[in-house]
C-alpha cells in the first residue's frame, strides 16, 4: 500500500502457482490449513436473505439449504462477514419504493439476523456505520455513470437482441457495433459492461447467465444486471484493499465473495485485480482500478481466429 495526503493505492501481492499431485490425506491437510486462514466473506443480497430462511422452508429449497450449510461451515472465530455489498445495492437502487425510514428498519433487521445466524464469526459492520452510509447516499448512484450504463444495457437487449444467439459470421461485426455504441455513450470500452456484452455475443454461458437478456424487453431487468456487473469492480477493490492491509497487520488475510448466482461466480474467475488507487478531493473520491482480464479464455473457443481482432478492438 502507498499513500499521500489525498491519494491511496493498494496493489495485489505477487503470486506463485504450483501444480502437483497430492494424496487424499495431503489434500485434507491443505484444506484444514486453508480453513485456518482468517478470511473476510462479502455477502450479496440473496445470501443475506438465505440466512433468514427457517428449516421448513429450507427443506423445500435444496439449493438454498446447501448455501446455508456452506455459511455455517464458514462460521469460525477467525472469519468475518460483511454486509457492505448488500447495503450498497439497497442504497443505490433507483427502483426503490421504500422511504428512508423503512429502508433503515429493513437494513437493521438484516444485520440483526446475520448476527443471530453467525454464532462465532464477526459481522464487521456496526449499526452506526450502515445508518450513516444509508443516510448519506440513499437514492444516489454510487457509480456516477449509472444511468448511462443502464441505457447501454437496454440497447444491448432491445437493439442488438442479445437474448438470441449471434451467428458466427456476424459476431465480430456486432462486437464492433457494440463498441461504437459504448464510445458514443462515453463508456470506457474495457469496462466489464462492454466486455461482458462481447462475451455474450461469442456465447459465453457465464456472461449470458449473469446479464440475463430477454426477448421481451419488459422482462429484462437492467437494474439487476447492472448491480451484478458492478460487483465485479466492487469486489476487486475490497479484495485489494483488505489483503494489502493484512500484509501490514490487518485482521483478514483473504477476501472471498459469496453469492447464489453461478453466472457471477464464474465471470469473476476471468478477472484478476491488480491495483486500485483512490484520489480524494472536495467533490468526492475517484478510483482507478486495474484488472487482468482473461479475455481469450472468456471468448474461446468461439472466436474462430477472431481473438486478435477483438483484442485490438478493445484497446486504444
Amino acid at each position: 500500500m502507498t499513500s499521500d495526503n489525498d491519494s491511496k493505492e493498494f496493489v495485489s501481492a505477487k503470486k506463485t502457482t504450483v501444480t502437483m499431485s497430492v494424496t487424499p490425506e495431503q489434500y485434507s491437510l491443505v484444506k484444514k490449513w486453508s480453513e485456518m486462514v482468517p478470511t473476510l466473506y462479502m455477502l450479496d443480497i440473496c445470501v443475506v436473505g438465505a440466512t433468514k430462511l427457517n428449516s421448513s422452508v429450507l427443506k423445500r429449497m435444496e439449493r438454498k439449504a446447501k448455501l446455508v450449510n456452506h455459511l455455517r461451515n464458514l462460521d469460525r472465530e477467525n472469519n468475518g462477514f460483511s454486509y457492505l455489498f448488500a447495503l450498497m445495492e439497497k442504497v443505490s437502487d433507483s427502483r426503490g419504493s421504500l422511504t428512508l425510514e423503512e429502508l433503515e428498519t429493513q437494513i437493521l433487521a438484516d444485520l440483526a439476523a446475520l448476527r443471530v445466524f453467525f454464532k462465532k464469526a464477526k459481522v464487521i459492520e456496526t449499526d452506526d456505520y450502515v445508518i450513516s452510509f444509508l443516510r448519506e447516499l440513499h437514492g444516489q448512484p454510487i457509480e456516477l455513470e449509472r444511468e448511462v450504463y443502464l441505457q447501454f444495457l437496454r440497447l444491448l437487449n432491445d437493439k442488438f437482441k442479445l437474448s438470441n444467439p449471434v451467428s458466427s459470421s456476424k459476431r465480430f461485426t456486432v462486437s464492433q457495433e457494440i463498441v461504437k455504441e459504448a464510445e458514443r455513450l462515453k463508456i470506457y470500452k474495457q469496462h466489464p459492461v462492454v466486455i461482458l456484452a462481447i462475451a455474450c455475443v461469442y456465447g459465453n454461458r457465464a456472461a449470458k447467465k449473469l446479464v440475463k437478456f430477454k426477448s421481451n424487453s419488459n422482462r429484462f431487468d437492467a437494474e439487476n444486471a447492472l448491480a451484478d456487473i458492478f460487483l465485479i469492480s466492487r469486489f476487486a477493490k475490497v479484495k485489494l484493499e483488505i489483503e494489502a492491509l493484512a500484509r501490514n497487520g490487518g485482521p483478514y488475510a483473504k477476501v472471498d465473495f459469496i453469492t447464489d448466482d453461478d453466472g457471477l461466480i464464474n465471470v469473476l474467475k476471468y478477472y484478476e485485480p491488480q491495483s486500485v488507487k483512490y484520489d480524494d478531493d472536495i467533490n468526492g473520491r475517484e478510483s482507478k482500478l486495474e484488472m487482468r482480464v482473461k479475455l481469450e479464455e472468456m471468448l474461446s473457443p468461439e472466436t474462430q481466429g477472431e481473438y486478435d481482432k477483438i483484442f485490438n478492438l478493445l484497446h486504444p
Side-chain angles (χ1 to χ4, degrees), residues 3-265:
S3 66
D4 55 39
N5 291 339
D6 301 309
S7 177
K8 290 183 179 180
E9 184 173 13
F10 301 93
V11 180
S12 65
K14 293 182 179 180
K15 296 181 181 180
T16 301
T17 302
V18 178
T19 303
M20 64 178 69
S21 299
V22 296
T23 64
E25 292 79 11
Q26 290 171 326
Y27 174 79
S28 177
L29 182 64
V30 170
K31 187 173 183 293
K32 287 181 180 179
W33 173 84
S34 179
E35 291 172 351
M36 294 170 61
V37 177
T39 303
L40 177 63
Y41 293 96
M42 312 299 296
L43 309 179
D44 73 359
I45 283 180
C46 292
V47 175
V48 172
T51 65
K52 294 186 279 187
L53 299 176
N54 60 43
S55 57
S56 61
V57 173
L58 292 173
K59 287 179 182 179
R60 304 192 302 270
M61 304 175 70
E62 183 179 349
R63 184 182 177 90
K64 295 294 185 184
K66 185 177 179 180
L67 173 61
V68 167
N69 287 335
H70 177 55
L71 293 171
R72 294 198 187 284
N73 288 334
L74 298 175
D75 185 14
R76 305 186 188 95
E77 292 181 355
N78 57 306
N79 291 335
F81 290 85
S82 173
Y83 181 74
L84 179 62
F85 289 168
L87 174 64
M88 293 172 80
E89 187 169 345
K90 289 192 175 190
V91 165
S92 63
D93 189 348
S94 61
R95 302 167 299 179
S97 58
L98 298 179
T99 66
L100 177 62
E101 291 74 19
E102 289 170 335
L103 191 55
E104 185 175 307
T105 299
Q106 185 183 92
I107 287 172
L108 289 176
D110 285 348
L111 278 175
L114 287 175
R115 293 179 187 131
V116 169
F117 181 88
F118 295 111
K119 309 297 184 185
K120 300 176 182 178
K122 180 181 180 181
V123 179
I124 67 169
E125 288 83 16
T126 65
D127 287 358
D128 287 344
Y129 171 81
V130 298
I131 295 305
S132 175
F133 189 102
L134 170 63
R135 290 175 180 174
E136 182 176 352
L137 294 172
H138 180 234
Q140 302 297 318
I142 295 172
E143 289 83 359
L144 295 180
E145 303 301 324
R146 182 184 186 89
E147 289 303 318
V148 176
Y149 296 132
L150 288 171
Q151 182 181 347
F152 181 66
L153 283 167
R154 292 183 182 114
L155 272 172
L156 295 173
N157 189 79
D158 302 345
K159 177 180 177 180
F160 292 96
K161 308 294 183 184
L162 291 189
S163 62
N164 300 319
V166 180
S167 69
S168 58
S169 62
K170 295 181 179 179
R171 285 172 178 164
F172 183 68
T173 300
V174 171
S175 298
Q176 286 179 305
E177 293 173 359
I178 286 172
V179 169
K180 284 181 182 178
E181 289 287 359
E183 291 177 326
R184 181 181 66 82
L185 293 169
K186 295 182 170 55
I187 295 174
Y188 180 50
K189 59 185 179 180
Q190 292 181 22
H191 190 283
V193 73
V194 180
I195 291 180
L196 288 176
I198 294 175
C200 288
V201 170
Y202 281 87
N204 183 285
R205 291 183 180 181
K208 291 170 74 72
K209 192 170 183 179
L210 171 65
V211 185
K212 302 178 182 69
F213 290 116
K214 302 292 184 181
S215 56
N216 183 338
S217 298
N218 294 326
R219 294 182 57 212
F220 175 55
D221 192 340
E223 286 270 4
N224 186 65
L226 185 61
D228 286 344
I229 292 169
F230 277 158
L231 282 169
I232 298 170
S233 56
R234 289 174 181 174
F235 175 64
K237 292 173 184 177
V238 170
K239 182 176 178 66
L240 286 164
E241 185 169 349
I242 297 298
E243 293 182 359
L245 292 173
R247 298 193 291 274
N248 291 279
Y252 299 107
K254 293 195 308 179
V255 181
D256 207 349
F257 177 52
I258 302 179
T259 177
D260 197 30
D261 189 327
D262 290 339
L264 178 55
I265 286 295

